[in-house]
Amino acid sequence: MEGNKLEEQDASPPQPTPGLMKGDKREEQGLGPEPAAPQQPTAEEEALIEFHRSYRELFEFFCNNTTIHGAIRLVCSQHNRMKTAFWAVLWLCTFGMMYWQFGLLFGEYFSYPVSLNINLNSDKLVFPAVTICTLNPYRYPEIKEELEELDRITQQTLFDLYKYDSSPTLVAGSRGRRDLRGTLPHLLQRLRVPSPLHGARQARSVASSVRDNNPQVDWKDWKIGFELCNQNKSDCFYQTYSSGVDAVREWYRFHYINILSRLPEALPSLEEDTLGNFIFACRFNQVSCNQANYSHFHHPMYGNCYTFNDKNNSNLWMSSMPGVNNGLSLMLRTEQNDFIPLLSTVTGARVMVHGQDEPAFMDDGGFNLRPGVETSISMRKEALDRLGGDYGDCTKNGSDVPVKNLYPSKYTQQVCIHSCFQENMIKECGCAYIFYPRPQNMEYCDYRKHSSWGYCYYKLQADFSSDHLGCFTKCRKPCRNGSSRCYRDRTTTPSTTREMEWPKSTSSSRS
């Protein structure tokens, strides 16, 4: 007990000795100067969170201890309101810019940006499919009997509208012409345009707005068109054109479509022509082609079409070397004097390059080759991969697209768009458009069976062009898309000696 009491006495701080004044030193025998003990923190200082009495005190504490530039100026200049206001505005602006940058960074992050990488390779590639058409749907002598009535009425219409006599065998007298024209519906007529108000021209119809490159005939006074009505004749409109050439060609094409729908599929003119009648020579990489390298189909407007290196080819062509001596080389024979008048206005061949598992849309991606020249075409294959999900709106195989694929091929955006139009055509008009595949148990449009299909078709075509049908919205782009771009390198006109060696209607092309 005594030892413990002694330790407590030694541990206690020394008591001041009375009688010592300021500056005097107290010395104890055997002991040095006693060091000052550290001050113990108070309860308020030991707290983990320090509470301030007011927001002003908290703000001053923040400005005095933060590392943000300019914050201390708000406290130091508090006696000068001008300086305080200036630094406050500057400080708020910097904070605003900081949060604006944060917003841009987060916005860019959540927008899922895509990095685009382009690689140019010169490896061995699968040669694309090449489709070539004759640009003549039928030989005129073979279908002349079907078109005879339409041709006679067309000749009489040209004489009535333009006083142009295109045939020496026209029916004499206006009465005979009126009787003959009465046998065909939707007659081509000349319509007088009302006088414009205040010197302004009336707007032309939507159908004729895209046909402004052809010569116009008396466009100041009248237009040419044909009348189309619905089933009960309660609503009618004129399909008009400012150009007489456009009006006659579209009117002839409209009646030609109706004639095509009546032709049997087993018509002899639809059978495949022999390859030698159209293609004189065919080589790929200096090796001659054979019938196993191509397939045949018939197009209502472009005639007999031949597709080389399609998916049915057991041995696909491979390409590794550029140049005119490699690739596909064709020599074609075109017939300039056997075309259907007013329907086939050009001669030569229609060519399109596409994938093996893609249909040949000759209207959308084809181009014409004129006869009598040698044309060299170079190609470049492009593959595009799109990221789906949050990065973009694409489809892998079209299974999630609400449009049924009517083509026996893989999904492409063009396949979906054409299928969508045919689907709406069948739904609204009750018949199938002859240029697109038709479902089973469905007939092609013919005004003898579907009297108002023309009215429905032109109305539907206007809605399709303005995307009121929603086809361009429904048909999404495929996530993986490969295409071949064609570039026409040069066109060479043969010399006089060269022309004497081959028939004048010979066309040669290389790709």
Side-chain angles (χ1 to χ4, degrees), residues 419-470:
S419 300
C420 178
F421 180 82
Q422 185 74 303
E423 184 179 279
N424 285 272
M425 186 76 185
I426 295 173
K427 179 181 178 181
E428 300 294 335
C429 306
C431 57
Y433 191 51
I434 196 171
F435 288 165
Y436 303 142
R438 63 172 179 175
Q440 294 181 354
N441 302 325
M442 184 58 60
E443 294 180 335
Y444 283 126
C445 294
D446 179 13
Y447 50 58
R448 291 185 179 180
K449 299 179 180 179
H450 316 90
S451 59
S452 61
W453 84 266
Y455 169 89
C456 179
Y457 166 74
Y458 285 104
K459 289 283 189 181
L460 202 66
Q461 184 68 29
D463 293 338
F464 173 78
S465 301
S466 58
D467 199 23
H468 289 164
L469 301 180

Side-chain angles (χ1 to χ4, degrees), residues 251-264:
W251 177 79
Y252 190 94
R253 183 175 179 270
F254 173 71
H255 287 284
Y256 170 75
I257 291 175
N258 292 273
I259 294 175
L260 284 183
S261 63
R262 305 171 204 151
L263 296 179

Side-chain angles (χ1 to χ4, degrees), residues 27 34 63 131 148 157 171 204 234 284 286 332 345 371 386 465 477:
E27 295 182 2
E34 189 74 18
C63 293
T131 299
E148 186 175 4
T157 302
V171 180
R204 287 173 290 179
S234 60
F284 181 77
Q286 305 300 320
L332 311 176
T345 58
R386 297 181 178 90
S465 301
K477 296 181 179 180

Side-chain angles (χ1 to χ4, degrees), residues 36-87:
Q39 295 181 356
Q40 297 295 329
T42 62
E44 188 176 288
E45 292 175 346
E46 288 182 352
L48 297 178
I49 301 176
E50 183 177 359
F51 295 95
H52 297 273
R53 298 181 178 86
S54 63
Y55 287 106
R56 179 182 182 86
E57 183 179 349
L58 176 62
F59 180 73
E60 291 180 356
F61 174 81
F62 172 77
C63 293
N64 290 326
N65 294 275
T66 185
T67 57
I68 298 177
H69 297 289
I72 190 64
R73 300 287 184 179
L74 296 175
V75 179
C76 297
S77 61
Q78 60 183 351
H79 300 291
N80 190 330
R81 294 184 178 180
M82 185 65 67
K83 289 184 178 182
T84 303
F86 170 76
W87 284 106

Side-chain angles (χ1 to χ4, degrees), residues 264-278:
E265 296 182 358
L267 192 69
S269 58
L270 293 176
E271 294 181 356
E272 176 184 355
D273 291 341
T274 58
L275 186 66
N277 290 341
F278 177 57

